Amino acid sequence: METVLDNEIIIDRIEKALNSIRPYLEADGGNVKVLEVTSDKVVRLELVGACGSCPMSTMTFKAGLEEAILKAVPEITRVEAVNLTPAF
């Protein structure tokens, strides 16, 4: 059974992974926010600032954010972004 403390530790590890990517997002006027970690270990993210409307957000998400989280926190089963902008 997962406790609140376990979830806080997982979120802390996710934030540390994201902190390795944040300087690049911030340089372009964006950032990322962890919305939740579900009971089945799915991380839901929101891209904010310029990242929320960037046509490259899908690539940033897949090659940067998702990869960093899955590498640093292997118990995460999936990473989702709630507001990816489709590239046209």
Side-chain angles (χ1 to χ4, degrees), residues 10-22 68 72:
I10 289 173
I11 290 172
D12 184 55
R13 290 171 55 207
I14 292 166
E15 289 288 351
K16 285 179 182 172
L18 293 175
N19 285 342
S20 69
I21 308 280
R22 280 194 168 104

Side-chain angles (χ1 to χ4, degrees), residues 25-43:
L25 302 176
E26 291 169 346
D28 290 326
N31 210 329
V32 62
K33 181 168 124 180
V34 177
L35 296 178
E36 70 174 323
V37 177
T38 68
S39 60
D40 55 342
K41 301 292 187 266
V42 175
V43 178

Side-chain angles (χ1 to χ4, degrees), residues 5-85:
L5 181 58
D6 291 336
N7 204 43
E8 288 177 13
I9 291 170
I10 289 173
I11 290 172
D12 184 55
R13 290 171 55 207
I14 292 166
E15 289 288 351
K16 285 179 182 172
L18 293 175
N19 285 342
S20 69
I21 308 280
R22 280 194 168 104
Y24 305 104
L25 302 176
E26 291 169 346
D28 290 326
N31 210 329
V32 62
K33 181 168 124 180
V34 177
L35 296 178
E36 70 174 323
V37 177
T38 68
S39 60
D40 55 342
K41 301 292 187 266
V42 175
V43 178
R44 298 190 69 219
L45 303 175
E46 179 181 17
L47 299 172
V48 296
C51 291
S53 59
C54 176
M56 296 301 290
S57 64
T58 300
M59 182 177 283
T60 300
F61 171 73
K62 289 302 257 181
L65 304 172
E66 180 181 52
E67 186 175 313
I69 290 171
L70 293 176
K71 184 176 180 181
V73 193
E75 58 265 47
I76 294 300
T77 59
R78 192 169 72 243
V79 182
E80 299 175 349
V82 299
N83 63 330
L84 287 179
T85 301

